[in-house]
Every structure is written in C-alpha cells, then in structure tokens.
Amino acid sequence: GCDELGGLAMAMRTMVNQVRTVRVLAERLALMFVLIGRGTLPSPMEGTFQGEFKAVGTALNQAMDTLSALLALAEPLQRLAHHEPTQPVDENRYPGDFKVLARAVNQLIHQQKSGS
C-alpha cells in the first residue's frame, strides 16, 4: 500500500525534476546558439545539476571556454588582416593546441612588425 505509493510518488518527483533539468539545459543550449549567432558569448552555465546532467552542463561550459579562447585569438588576426597595430597574445593563457595557435599568431604579428 503506502510503500508502493510512496515509491511511485518518489519516482514521479525524480522524473519531473529530470524533465525540468532537460528543459533548462535545452533552453540554455538554444540561447547559446542564438547568442553565438549574434557574435556574443554567453556566460558560463551555473546550477546544481546531478549525474549525466552535470556532465552536459560541464561540456557546454567547456564549449564556451573553447569558443572564448578562439575569439580571443581571432581578434588579433582580424587586426592583422586590416594592417592595424596588434600586440602579441599571452601564449601562457592557452593550453595545448591553443598555445600552438597563439604562438603562430604571435609569429604573424612579429612578421608584420618587422616587415613594416
């Protein structure tokens, strides 16, 4: 009797919470795409997600970090393309392949300065 109803009620609460979490993540993802399409990066996702939902939130935040790093490297490249003065980027700010890309950006900046 009560144990079965209690278990069913708990399962329903869990399901409702998971559906809400999926809705929040889906809305956040849609907002991220809209903002990215407008040339703006959204702020990191905050929340107390559990299990797989926490992993999805973390992955979305990592994607935003990656886009932010690319944007930071794209700005000096755009200035270089327009022959505008450009300062070197801080290579230590970037991990892994981004550091290699930052180093290449700095080489281009150096070549532009020595060619001027």
Side-chain angles (χ1 to χ4, degrees), residues 2-72:
C2 290
D3 290 335
E4 290 174 357
L5 285 177
L8 180 60
M10 184 176 285
M12 291 294 289
R13 274 193 300 273
T14 299
M15 184 180 69
V16 167
N17 287 336
Q18 288 179 339
V19 167
R20 285 181 182 149
T21 301
V22 167
R23 190 189 81 226
V24 166
L25 289 171
E27 288 172 355
R28 177 65 179 182
L29 185 58
L31 175 64
M32 287 170 65
F33 286 133
V34 167
L35 291 174
I36 290 168
R38 293 180 182 166
T40 305
L41 290 178
S43 59
M45 181 180 294
E46 296 178 12
T48 55
F49 300 111
Q50 304 281 325
E52 298 87 18
F53 300 118
K54 185 174 184 174
V56 170
T58 299
L60 290 174
N61 284 338
Q62 288 173 342
M64 288 300 95
D65 290 345
T66 299
L67 287 172
S68 178
L70 285 172
L71 181 61

Short mmCIF file of all heavy atoms in Angstrom, two decimals, residues 2-72:
data_model
loop_
_atom_site.label_atom_id
_atom_site.label_comp_id
_atom_site.label_asym_id
_atom_site.label_seq_id
_atom_site.Cartn_x
_atom_site.Cartn_y
_atom_site.Cartn_z
N CYS A 2 1.14 1.78 1.20
CA CYS A 2 1.82 3.08 1.31
C CYS A 2 3.23 3.03 0.75
O CYS A 2 3.69 4.01 0.16
CB CYS A 2 1.86 3.53 2.77
SG CYS A 2 0.23 3.99 3.39
N ASP A 3 3.90 1.90 0.94
CA ASP A 3 5.26 1.80 0.43
C ASP A 3 5.28 1.89 -1.09
O ASP A 3 6.14 2.54 -1.66
CB ASP A 3 5.91 0.50 0.88
CG ASP A 3 6.21 0.50 2.38
OD1 ASP A 3 6.34 1.60 2.94
OD2 ASP A 3 6.30 -0.59 2.95
N GLU A 4 4.32 1.21 -1.73
CA GLU A 4 4.27 1.26 -3.19
C GLU A 4 3.89 2.65 -3.68
O GLU A 4 4.47 3.16 -4.63
CB GLU A 4 3.26 0.24 -3.71
CG GLU A 4 3.73 -1.19 -3.51
CD GLU A 4 2.67 -2.21 -3.91
OE1 GLU A 4 1.55 -1.80 -4.29
OE2 GLU A 4 2.96 -3.40 -3.83
N LEU A 5 2.94 3.29 -3.01
CA LEU A 5 2.56 4.65 -3.40
C LEU A 5 3.68 5.64 -3.13
O LEU A 5 3.92 6.55 -3.93
CB LEU A 5 1.29 5.08 -2.66
CG LEU A 5 -0.01 4.45 -3.15
CD1 LEU A 5 -1.18 4.92 -2.28
CD2 LEU A 5 -0.26 4.80 -4.60
N GLY A 6 4.35 5.45 -2.02
CA GLY A 6 5.48 6.32 -1.70
C GLY A 6 6.59 6.18 -2.72
O GLY A 6 7.19 7.16 -3.15
N GLY A 7 6.88 4.95 -3.11
CA GLY A 7 7.90 4.70 -4.14
C GLY A 7 7.50 5.30 -5.48
O GLY A 7 8.33 5.89 -6.18
N LEU A 8 6.22 5.16 -5.81
CA LEU A 8 5.73 5.73 -7.06
C LEU A 8 5.81 7.25 -7.02
O LEU A 8 6.22 7.88 -8.00
CB LEU A 8 4.28 5.28 -7.31
CG LEU A 8 3.64 5.80 -8.60
CD1 LEU A 8 4.43 5.35 -9.82
CD2 LEU A 8 2.19 5.32 -8.69
N ALA A 9 5.43 7.85 -5.88
CA ALA A 9 5.50 9.31 -5.75
C ALA A 9 6.94 9.79 -5.87
O ALA A 9 7.21 10.80 -6.53
CB ALA A 9 4.90 9.75 -4.41
N MET A 10 7.88 9.07 -5.26
CA MET A 10 9.28 9.47 -5.35
C MET A 10 9.78 9.34 -6.78
O MET A 10 10.50 10.22 -7.28
CB MET A 10 10.15 8.62 -4.42
CG MET A 10 11.60 9.08 -4.40
SD MET A 10 12.61 8.19 -3.23
CE MET A 10 12.05 8.93 -1.71
N ALA A 11 9.40 8.28 -7.47
CA ALA A 11 9.81 8.09 -8.86
C ALA A 11 9.24 9.20 -9.74
O ALA A 11 9.92 9.71 -10.63
CB ALA A 11 9.35 6.72 -9.37
N MET A 12 8.01 9.61 -9.47
CA MET A 12 7.39 10.70 -10.25
C MET A 12 8.11 12.02 -9.99
O MET A 12 8.34 12.78 -10.93
CB MET A 12 5.90 10.83 -9.89
CG MET A 12 5.05 9.67 -10.36
SD MET A 12 4.95 9.57 -12.15
CE MET A 12 3.94 10.97 -12.51
N ARG A 13 8.48 12.28 -8.74
CA ARG A 13 9.22 13.51 -8.42
C ARG A 13 10.57 13.53 -9.13
O ARG A 13 10.98 14.54 -9.68
CB ARG A 13 9.42 13.66 -6.91
CG ARG A 13 8.27 14.32 -6.19
CD ARG A 13 8.65 14.71 -4.77
NE ARG A 13 9.05 13.59 -3.94
CZ ARG A 13 8.22 12.83 -3.23
NH1 ARG A 13 6.94 13.07 -3.23
NH2 ARG A 13 8.68 11.83 -2.51
N THR A 14 11.22 12.39 -9.11
CA THR A 14 12.52 12.29 -9.79
C THR A 14 12.35 12.54 -11.28
O THR A 14 13.13 13.29 -11.88
CB THR A 14 13.14 10.89 -9.55
OG1 THR A 14 13.33 10.71 -8.15
CG2 THR A 14 14.45 10.74 -10.28
N MET A 15 11.32 11.95 -11.87
CA MET A 15 11.09 12.13 -13.30
C MET A 15 10.77 13.59 -13.62
O MET A 15 11.30 14.16 -14.58
CB MET A 15 9.94 11.25 -13.77
CG MET A 15 9.70 11.33 -15.27
SD MET A 15 8.34 10.30 -15.83
CE MET A 15 6.94 11.15 -15.12
N VAL A 16 9.94 14.23 -12.81
CA VAL A 16 9.60 15.64 -13.03
C VAL A 16 10.85 16.51 -12.93
O VAL A 16 11.08 17.40 -13.75
CB VAL A 16 8.51 16.10 -12.04
CG1 VAL A 16 8.37 17.62 -12.02
CG2 VAL A 16 7.18 15.46 -12.38
N ASN A 17 11.69 16.25 -11.93
CA ASN A 17 12.94 17.02 -11.78
C ASN A 17 13.87 16.81 -12.97
O ASN A 17 14.51 17.75 -13.43
CB ASN A 17 13.64 16.65 -10.48
CG ASN A 17 12.92 17.21 -9.27
OD1 ASN A 17 12.19 18.20 -9.37
ND2 ASN A 17 13.12 16.58 -8.13
N GLN A 18 13.94 15.60 -13.48
CA GLN A 18 14.79 15.34 -14.63
C GLN A 18 14.26 16.02 -15.88
O GLN A 18 15.03 16.57 -16.68
CB GLN A 18 14.95 13.83 -14.85
CG GLN A 18 15.82 13.18 -13.80
CD GLN A 18 15.96 11.69 -14.00
OE1 GLN A 18 15.14 11.05 -14.66
NE2 GLN A 18 17.00 11.12 -13.41
N VAL A 19 12.94 16.02 -16.06
CA VAL A 19 12.35 16.71 -17.21
C VAL A 19 12.61 18.21 -17.11
O VAL A 19 12.96 18.86 -18.11
CB VAL A 19 10.83 16.41 -17.31
CG1 VAL A 19 10.15 17.34 -18.29
CG2 VAL A 19 10.61 14.95 -17.70
N ARG A 20 12.48 18.77 -15.92
CA ARG A 20 12.80 20.20 -15.73
C ARG A 20 14.26 20.49 -16.06
O ARG A 20 14.57 21.50 -16.69
CB ARG A 20 12.50 20.63 -14.29
CG ARG A 20 11.05 20.79 -14.00
CD ARG A 20 10.83 21.24 -12.57
NE ARG A 20 9.41 21.35 -12.29
CZ ARG A 20 8.86 21.15 -11.11
NH1 ARG A 20 9.63 20.84 -10.07
NH2 ARG A 20 7.56 21.26 -10.95
N THR A 21 15.13 19.62 -15.61
CA THR A 21 16.56 19.82 -15.88
C THR A 21 16.85 19.75 -17.37
O THR A 21 17.61 20.58 -17.90
CB THR A 21 17.41 18.77 -15.12
OG1 THR A 21 17.15 18.90 -13.72
CG2 THR A 21 18.88 18.95 -15.38
N VAL A 22 16.25 18.80 -18.06
CA VAL A 22 16.44 18.69 -19.51
C VAL A 22 15.92 19.95 -20.19
O VAL A 22 16.56 20.48 -21.10
CB VAL A 22 15.73 17.43 -20.06
CG1 VAL A 22 15.64 17.47 -21.58
CG2 VAL A 22 16.46 16.17 -19.60
N ARG A 23 14.78 20.46 -19.73
CA ARG A 23 14.23 21.69 -20.31
C ARG A 23 15.19 22.86 -20.10
O ARG A 23 15.45 23.64 -21.01
CB ARG A 23 12.86 22.01 -19.72
CG ARG A 23 12.16 23.13 -20.48
CD ARG A 23 10.91 23.63 -19.82
NE ARG A 23 11.35 24.55 -18.77
CZ ARG A 23 10.91 24.55 -17.52
NH1 ARG A 23 9.99 23.72 -17.15
NH2 ARG A 23 11.36 25.42 -16.65
N VAL A 24 15.73 23.00 -18.89
CA VAL A 24 16.67 24.08 -18.60
C VAL A 24 17.90 23.97 -19.49
O VAL A 24 18.35 24.96 -20.08
CB VAL A 24 17.08 24.08 -17.10
CG1 VAL A 24 18.28 24.96 -16.85
CG2 VAL A 24 15.91 24.52 -16.24
N LEU A 25 18.46 22.76 -19.63
CA LEU A 25 19.63 22.57 -20.46
C LEU A 25 19.32 22.85 -21.93
O LEU A 25 20.11 23.47 -22.64
CB LEU A 25 20.19 21.16 -20.29
CG LEU A 25 20.88 20.87 -18.95
CD1 LEU A 25 21.18 19.39 -18.82
CD2 LEU A 25 22.14 21.70 -18.80
N ALA A 26 18.15 22.41 -22.39
CA ALA A 26 17.77 22.65 -23.79
C ALA A 26 17.57 24.13 -24.06
O ALA A 26 18.01 24.65 -25.09
CB ALA A 26 16.50 21.87 -24.13
N GLU A 27 16.94 24.84 -23.12
CA GLU A 27 16.75 26.28 -23.28
C GLU A 27 18.09 27.00 -23.27
O GLU A 27 18.31 27.93 -24.05
CB GLU A 27 15.84 26.82 -22.17
CG GLU A 27 14.39 26.43 -22.33
CD GLU A 27 13.54 26.82 -21.13
OE1 GLU A 27 14.08 27.33 -20.12
OE2 GLU A 27 12.32 26.60 -21.21
N ARG A 28 19.00 26.58 -22.40
CA ARG A 28 20.31 27.19 -22.33
C ARG A 28 21.09 26.96 -23.63
O ARG A 28 21.74 27.85 -24.15
CB ARG A 28 21.07 26.63 -21.12
CG ARG A 28 22.47 27.14 -20.97
CD ARG A 28 22.50 28.61 -20.69
NE ARG A 28 23.89 29.03 -20.53
CZ ARG A 28 24.28 30.22 -20.26
NH1 ARG A 28 23.40 31.16 -20.06
NH2 ARG A 28 25.55 30.52 -20.14
N LEU A 29 21.01 25.75 -24.15
CA LEU A 29 21.69 25.44 -25.40
C LEU A 29 21.13 26.28 -26.54
O LEU A 29 21.89 26.83 -27.34
CB LEU A 29 21.56 23.95 -25.71
CG LEU A 29 22.31 23.42 -26.92
CD1 LEU A 29 23.80 23.71 -26.81
CD2 LEU A 29 22.06 21.93 -27.08
N ALA A 30 19.82 26.41 -26.61
CA ALA A 30 19.20 27.24 -27.65
C ALA A 30 19.65 28.70 -27.51
O ALA A 30 19.98 29.35 -28.50
CB ALA A 30 17.68 27.14 -27.57
N LEU A 31 19.69 29.21 -26.28
CA LEU A 31 20.14 30.57 -26.04
C LEU A 31 21.60 30.74 -26.46
O LEU A 31 21.98 31.75 -27.05
CB LEU A 31 19.97 30.95 -24.57
CG LEU A 31 20.51 32.31 -24.15
CD1 LEU A 31 19.75 33.43 -24.86
CD2 LEU A 31 20.42 32.48 -22.64
N MET A 32 22.42 29.74 -26.15
CA MET A 32 23.83 29.80 -26.53
C MET A 32 23.96 29.94 -28.04
O MET A 32 24.73 30.77 -28.53
CB MET A 32 24.56 28.55 -26.04
CG MET A 32 24.78 28.51 -24.54
SD MET A 32 25.37 26.91 -23.93
CE MET A 32 26.96 26.81 -24.70
N PHE A 33 23.20 29.16 -28.80
CA PHE A 33 23.28 29.22 -30.25
C PHE A 33 22.81 30.57 -30.78
O PHE A 33 23.40 31.12 -31.71
CB PHE A 33 22.50 28.09 -30.90
CG PHE A 33 23.17 26.75 -30.79
CD1 PHE A 33 22.45 25.64 -30.40
CD2 PHE A 33 24.52 26.59 -31.06
CE1 PHE A 33 23.06 24.39 -30.30
CE2 PHE A 33 25.14 25.36 -30.96
CZ PHE A 33 24.41 24.26 -30.58
N VAL A 34 21.76 31.12 -30.19
CA VAL A 34 21.27 32.43 -30.61
C VAL A 34 22.34 33.49 -30.36
O VAL A 34 22.65 34.32 -31.23
CB VAL A 34 19.95 32.79 -29.89
CG1 VAL A 34 19.60 34.26 -30.07
CG2 VAL A 34 18.81 31.92 -30.40
N LEU A 35 22.92 33.48 -29.16
CA LEU A 35 23.94 34.46 -28.82
C LEU A 35 25.19 34.32 -29.68
O LEU A 35 25.75 35.30 -30.15
CB LEU A 35 24.30 34.38 -27.34
CG LEU A 35 23.21 34.82 -26.37
CD1 LEU A 35 23.62 34.54 -24.93
CD2 LEU A 35 22.86 36.28 -26.56
N ILE A 36 25.61 33.09 -29.90
CA ILE A 36 26.78 32.85 -30.75
C ILE A 36 26.49 33.35 -32.16
O ILE A 36 27.34 33.97 -32.80
CB ILE A 36 27.18 31.36 -30.74
CG1 ILE A 36 27.74 30.98 -29.37
CG2 ILE A 36 28.18 31.04 -31.85
CD1 ILE A 36 27.88 29.49 -29.16
N GLY A 37 25.28 33.11 -32.65
CA GLY A 37 24.89 33.60 -33.97
C GLY A 37 24.94 35.12 -34.06
O GLY A 37 25.17 35.68 -35.13
N ARG A 38 24.74 35.79 -32.94
CA ARG A 38 24.80 37.25 -32.90
C ARG A 38 26.20 37.77 -32.60
O ARG A 38 26.42 38.96 -32.47
CB ARG A 38 23.84 37.78 -31.85
CG ARG A 38 22.39 37.54 -32.19
CD ARG A 38 21.49 38.07 -31.12
NE ARG A 38 20.09 37.79 -31.45
CZ ARG A 38 19.11 37.89 -30.60
NH1 ARG A 38 19.34 38.28 -29.36
NH2 ARG A 38 17.88 37.62 -30.97
N GLY A 39 27.16 36.85 -32.42
CA GLY A 39 28.53 37.26 -32.16
C GLY A 39 28.83 37.51 -30.70
O GLY A 39 29.81 38.17 -30.36
N THR A 40 28.01 37.00 -29.80
CA THR A 40 28.20 37.20 -28.36
C THR A 40 28.35 35.83 -27.70
O THR A 40 27.66 34.89 -28.06
CB THR A 40 26.97 37.90 -27.76
OG1 THR A 40 26.75 39.11 -28.45
CG2 THR A 40 27.16 38.18 -26.29
N LEU A 41 29.25 35.75 -26.75
CA LEU A 41 29.39 34.51 -26.00
C LEU A 41 28.62 34.60 -24.69
O LEU A 41 28.77 35.58 -23.96
CB LEU A 41 30.86 34.22 -25.70
CG LEU A 41 31.70 33.84 -26.90
CD1 LEU A 41 33.14 33.62 -26.48
CD2 LEU A 41 31.16 32.59 -27.56
N PRO A 42 27.81 33.60 -24.40
CA PRO A 42 27.06 33.62 -23.14
C PRO A 42 27.97 33.33 -21.95
O PRO A 42 29.07 32.80 -22.10
CB PRO A 42 26.03 32.50 -23.31
CG PRO A 42 26.58 31.62 -24.37
CD PRO A 42 27.48 32.45 -25.22
N SER A 43 27.49 33.70 -20.78
CA SER A 43 28.23 33.42 -19.55
C SER A 43 28.15 31.93 -19.25
O SER A 43 27.27 31.23 -19.76
CB SER A 43 27.66 34.24 -18.40
OG SER A 43 26.30 33.93 -18.23
N PRO A 44 29.04 31.43 -18.39
CA PRO A 44 29.01 30.00 -18.06
C PRO A 44 27.68 29.59 -17.42
O PRO A 44 27.02 30.39 -16.76
CB PRO A 44 30.15 29.85 -17.05
CG PRO A 44 31.03 31.02 -17.27
CD PRO A 44 30.14 32.13 -17.75
N MET A 45 27.34 28.35 -17.66
CA MET A 45 26.11 27.80 -17.09
C MET A 45 26.34 27.50 -15.62
O MET A 45 27.34 26.90 -15.25
CB MET A 45 25.73 26.53 -17.82
CG MET A 45 24.45 25.92 -17.30
SD MET A 45 24.01 24.42 -18.19
CE MET A 45 23.67 25.09 -19.79
N GLU A 46 25.43 27.96 -14.80
CA GLU A 46 25.52 27.69 -13.38
C GLU A 46 24.31 26.86 -12.97
O GLU A 46 23.26 26.94 -13.57
CB GLU A 46 25.54 29.00 -12.59
CG GLU A 46 26.77 29.83 -12.88
CD GLU A 46 26.76 31.15 -12.14
OE1 GLU A 46 25.93 31.33 -11.23
OE2 GLU A 46 27.59 32.00 -12.47
N GLY A 47 24.48 26.08 -11.97
CA GLY A 47 23.37 25.26 -11.49
C GLY A 47 23.90 24.06 -10.74
O GLY A 47 25.06 23.70 -10.85
N THR A 48 23.02 23.45 -10.03
CA THR A 48 23.39 22.26 -9.28
C THR A 48 22.79 21.06 -9.99
O THR A 48 21.75 20.54 -9.59
CB THR A 48 22.89 22.34 -7.83
OG1 THR A 48 21.47 22.59 -7.87
CG2 THR A 48 23.57 23.46 -7.08
N PHE A 49 23.45 20.65 -11.07
CA PHE A 49 22.98 19.51 -11.83
C PHE A 49 23.58 18.24 -11.24
O PHE A 49 24.66 18.26 -10.66
CB PHE A 49 23.37 19.65 -13.30
CG PHE A 49 22.79 20.88 -13.94
CD1 PHE A 49 23.60 21.93 -14.31
CD2 PHE A 49 21.43 20.98 -14.16
CE1 PHE A 49 23.07 23.06 -14.90
CE2 PHE A 49 20.89 22.11 -14.75
CZ PHE A 49 21.71 23.15 -15.12
N GLN A 50 22.91 17.14 -11.45
CA GLN A 50 23.34 15.85 -10.93
C GLN A 50 23.61 14.88 -12.08
O GLN A 50 23.00 14.98 -13.13
CB GLN A 50 22.24 15.25 -10.04
CG GLN A 50 21.79 16.12 -8.89
CD GLN A 50 22.76 16.07 -7.72
OE1 GLN A 50 23.34 15.03 -7.47
NE2 GLN A 50 22.92 17.16 -7.03
N GLY A 51 24.51 13.95 -11.86
CA GLY A 51 24.75 12.85 -12.79
C GLY A 51 25.07 13.27 -14.19
O GLY A 51 25.94 14.11 -14.43
N GLU A 52 24.33 12.68 -15.17
CA GLU A 52 24.57 12.96 -16.57
C GLU A 52 24.32 14.43 -16.89
O GLU A 52 24.96 15.01 -17.76
CB GLU A 52 23.67 12.11 -17.47
CG GLU A 52 23.87 10.62 -17.35
CD GLU A 52 23.02 10.01 -16.23
OE1 GLU A 52 22.04 10.65 -15.77
OE2 GLU A 52 23.34 8.90 -15.82
N PHE A 53 23.38 15.05 -16.18
CA PHE A 53 23.05 16.45 -16.43
C PHE A 53 24.22 17.36 -16.06
O PHE A 53 24.47 18.35 -16.72
CB PHE A 53 21.79 16.86 -15.68
CG PHE A 53 20.59 16.05 -16.07
CD1 PHE A 53 19.94 15.25 -15.15
CD2 PHE A 53 20.12 16.08 -17.38
CE1 PHE A 53 18.84 14.51 -15.51
CE2 PHE A 53 19.02 15.34 -17.75
CZ PHE A 53 18.37 14.54 -16.82
N LYS A 54 24.93 16.98 -15.01
CA LYS A 54 26.11 17.75 -14.61
C LYS A 54 27.17 17.66 -15.71
O LYS A 54 27.82 18.65 -16.05
CB LYS A 54 26.66 17.24 -13.28
CG LYS A 54 27.81 18.07 -12.76
CD LYS A 54 28.24 17.61 -11.38
CE LYS A 54 29.32 18.53 -10.85
NZ LYS A 54 29.66 18.22 -9.48
N ALA A 55 27.32 16.47 -16.29
CA ALA A 55 28.28 16.28 -17.37
C ALA A 55 27.90 17.12 -18.59
O ALA A 55 28.77 17.71 -19.24
CB ALA A 55 28.37 14.80 -17.75
N VAL A 56 26.61 17.22 -18.89
CA VAL A 56 26.17 18.03 -20.02
C VAL A 56 26.46 19.50 -19.75
O VAL A 56 26.97 20.22 -20.62
CB VAL A 56 24.66 17.81 -20.31
CG1 VAL A 56 24.14 18.83 -21.31
CG2 VAL A 56 24.42 16.40 -20.82
N GLY A 57 26.15 19.97 -18.55
CA GLY A 57 26.43 21.35 -18.18
C GLY A 57 27.91 21.66 -18.26
O GLY A 57 28.32 22.71 -18.77
N THR A 58 28.73 20.75 -17.78
CA THR A 58 30.18 20.92 -17.83
C THR A 58 30.67 20.97 -19.28
O THR A 58 31.50 21.80 -19.64
CB THR A 58 30.88 19.77 -17.07
OG1 THR A 58 30.46 19.81 -15.70
CG2 THR A 58 32.40 19.89 -17.14
N ALA A 59 30.13 20.10 -20.13
CA ALA A 59 30.52 20.08 -21.54
C ALA A 59 30.14 21.39 -22.23
O ALA A 59 30.90 21.92 -23.03
CB ALA A 59 29.88 18.89 -22.25
N LEU A 60 28.95 21.92 -21.92
CA LEU A 60 28.54 23.19 -22.51
C LEU A 60 29.45 24.32 -22.06
O LEU A 60 29.83 25.18 -22.86
CB LEU A 60 27.08 23.49 -22.15
CG LEU A 60 26.04 22.60 -22.82
CD1 LEU A 60 24.65 22.91 -22.27
CD2 LEU A 60 26.06 22.76 -24.32
N ASN A 61 29.83 24.32 -20.79
CA ASN A 61 30.75 25.35 -20.30
C ASN A 61 32.12 25.23 -20.95
O ASN A 61 32.76 26.23 -21.28
CB ASN A 61 30.87 25.30 -18.78
CG ASN A 61 29.66 25.87 -18.09
OD1 ASN A 61 28.91 26.66 -18.66
ND2 ASN A 61 29.44 25.48 -16.85
N GLN A 62 32.58 24.01 -21.16
CA GLN A 62 33.87 23.80 -21.82
C GLN A 62 33.80 24.28 -23.27
O GLN A 62 34.77 24.86 -23.79
CB GLN A 62 34.28 22.34 -21.76
CG GLN A 62 34.71 21.91 -20.37
CD GLN A 62 34.96 20.41 -20.27
OE1 GLN A 62 34.51 19.62 -21.09
NE2 GLN A 62 35.66 20.01 -19.23
N ALA A 63 32.67 24.07 -23.92
CA ALA A 63 32.50 24.56 -25.29
C ALA A 63 32.57 26.08 -25.31
O ALA A 63 33.19 26.67 -26.20
CB ALA A 63 31.17 24.08 -25.87
N MET A 64 31.98 26.74 -24.33
CA MET A 64 32.03 28.19 -24.25
C MET A 64 33.46 28.66 -24.00
O MET A 64 33.90 29.66 -24.56
CB MET A 64 31.11 28.73 -23.16
CG MET A 64 29.63 28.64 -23.48
SD MET A 64 29.17 29.57 -24.95
CE MET A 64 29.22 28.32 -26.19
N ASP A 65 34.20 27.94 -23.16
CA ASP A 65 35.60 28.28 -22.90
C ASP A 65 36.42 28.18 -24.20
O ASP A 65 37.27 29.03 -24.48
CB ASP A 65 36.21 27.37 -21.84
CG ASP A 65 35.65 27.62 -20.45
OD1 ASP A 65 35.02 28.68 -20.24
OD2 ASP A 65 35.83 26.75 -19.57
N THR A 66 36.16 27.13 -24.97
CA THR A 66 36.88 26.95 -26.23
C THR A 66 36.55 28.07 -27.20
O THR A 66 37.45 28.64 -27.83
CB THR A 66 36.52 25.58 -26.85
OG1 THR A 66 36.90 24.55 -25.94
CG2 THR A 66 37.22 25.37 -28.18
N LEU A 67 35.26 28.40 -27.32
CA LEU A 67 34.88 29.50 -28.22
C LEU A 67 35.46 30.83 -27.76
O LEU A 67 35.88 31.65 -28.57
CB LEU A 67 33.35 29.58 -28.30
CG LEU A 67 32.68 28.47 -29.10
CD1 LEU A 67 31.17 28.55 -28.94
CD2 LEU A 67 33.07 28.54 -30.56
N SER A 68 35.52 31.02 -26.45
CA SER A 68 36.09 32.25 -25.91
C SER A 68 37.58 32.35 -26.26
O SER A 68 38.07 33.41 -26.65
CB SER A 68 35.90 32.29 -24.40
OG SER A 68 36.48 33.43 -23.85
N ALA A 69 38.30 31.24 -26.14
CA ALA A 69 39.72 31.22 -26.49
C ALA A 69 39.91 31.50 -27.98
O ALA A 69 40.81 32.25 -28.38
CB ALA A 69 40.35 29.89 -26.11
N LEU A 70 39.06 30.91 -28.82
CA LEU A 70 39.16 31.16 -30.25
C LEU A 70 38.86 32.61 -30.59
O LEU A 70 39.52 33.21 -31.43
CB LEU A 70 38.20 30.24 -31.01
CG LEU A 70 38.64 28.79 -31.12
CD1 LEU A 70 37.52 27.94 -31.73
CD2 LEU A 70 39.90 28.67 -31.94
N LEU A 71 37.88 33.17 -29.92
CA LEU A 71 37.54 34.58 -30.15
C LEU A 71 38.71 35.48 -29.77
O LEU A 71 39.04 36.42 -30.49
CB LEU A 71 36.29 34.95 -29.36
CG LEU A 71 35.79 36.39 -29.52
CD1 LEU A 71 35.42 36.66 -30.97
CD2 LEU A 71 34.61 36.64 -28.61
N ALA A 72 39.33 35.17 -28.64
CA ALA A 72 40.47 35.98 -28.19
C ALA A 72 41.62 35.91 -29.19
O ALA A 72 42.37 36.87 -29.36
CB ALA A 72 40.93 35.54 -26.81
#
